[in-house]
Amino acid sequence: MTFREEFNENIKSMLEARSQERDTRPLIESVAGEDDFAEWLACHERASQTVICNTPELRDTPFCGTGSH
């Protein structure tokens, strides 16, 4: 049995256990910390958008979310 076949078999054999665990996990993503919203944004926003939206010329554009649409 090749590594790939063994890997696929392990995934298939754990399907039922993963399905049961899914039902016990929370459906909400949470980040612990003093400023949860800021940490969540830092984890999810695109780095290129952060650079663009911090420039004075482009800060108020619709792309950055704070401008007029």
Side-chain angles (χ1 to χ4, degrees):
M1 181 179 283
T2 66
F3 175 77
R4 181 183 205 120
E5 291 170 343
E6 184 179 349
F7 180 76
N8 287 335
E9 286 300 318
N10 285 338
I11 290 175
K12 289 176 187 175
S13 67
M14 295 297 292
L15 179 63
E16 186 176 339
R18 288 195 324 267
S19 296
Q20 291 174 351
E21 288 175 5
R22 179 194 62 211
D23 296 334
T24 62
R25 285 186 236 135
L27 300 176
I28 300 171
E29 181 179 1
S30 63
V31 178
E34 292 180 15
D35 191 358
D36 293 343
F37 184 68
E39 288 185 29
W40 185 89
L41 283 177
C43 292
H44 290 82
E45 78 181 343
R46 293 176 291 187
S48 60
Q49 185 174 357
T50 304
V51 172
I52 292 169
C53 292
N54 283 330
T55 60
E57 301 86 13
L58 299 172
R59 183 174 299 154
D60 293 326
T61 60
F63 175 73
C64 294
T66 58
S68 58
H69 300 282

